[in-house]
Amino acid sequence: ASPDAPCVLGDRRAIQRVVSNLIDNALKYTPPGGQVELGVGYRQGLARITVTDTGCGIPPADLPQVFNRFYRGETSRSTPGNGLGLALVQAFVKASGGRVSVDSQVGAGTCFTVDFPLSETR
């Protein structure tokens, strides 16, 4: 890494789990032939990670619940999982002083955005 590159505040393993969980979910809910895209960037004191897919999307009624422990939306009940992944993502991100959000459209896909504060020093 470049000595001038910014550093994210937070636990390395927690950040790895956040990214891994979001990519795993995107792959799980995107059909063959769909796309999953990972974006990484930084500006204004924040590092931003986006995971965007062209999967089934999340119904508007489910969006406010997706970060709740054990919540499984109607479209996710037929796939493996226990409903803890996104709750852990939110907990890890908040513990790092960041925030996570989701934007989704049924039938078109989902985008999770995670912002982490950058460290002033390496």
Side-chain angles (χ1 to χ4, degrees), residues 19-32 34-38 50-57 86 109-112:
V19 174
S20 174
N21 183 279
L22 293 176
I23 291 172
D24 182 57
N25 281 353
L27 292 171
K28 189 185 317 183
Y29 295 108
T30 300
Q35 293 182 324
V36 173
E37 181 178 299
L38 175 65
T50 57
V51 178
T52 307
D53 66 58
T54 59
C56 60
L86 291 176
T110 301
C111 178
F112 282 90

Side-chain angles (χ1 to χ4, degrees), residues 2 4 10 12 22-23 27 29 33 37 40 53 57 59 71 74 78 81 87 91 95 107-108 110 118-120:
S2 165
D4 297 328
R12 175 186 288 179
L22 293 176
I23 291 172
L27 292 171
Y29 295 108
E37 181 178 299
V40 179
D53 66 58
Y71 184 77
E74 195 63 40
S78 62
T110 301
L118 294 174
S119 174
E120 296 293 323

Side-chain angles (χ1 to χ4, degrees), residues 69 82 88 104 117:
R69 287 183 297 163
N82 56 20
L88 288 172
S104 189

Side-chain angles (χ1 to χ4, degrees), residues 40-90:
V40 179
Y42 63 92
R43 68 185 185 132
Q44 299 174 345
L46 295 173
R48 174 165 282 181
I49 299 168
T50 57
V51 178
T52 307
D53 66 58
T54 59
C56 60
I58 302 168
D62 289 341
L63 283 173
Q65 309 298 323
V66 296
F67 296 109
N68 293 343
R69 287 183 297 163
F70 304 113
Y71 184 77
R72 305 266 301 167
E74 195 63 40
T75 57
S76 68
R77 292 192 182 146
S78 62
T79 58
N82 56 20
L84 286 174
L86 291 176
L88 288 172
V89 163
Q90 185 177 53

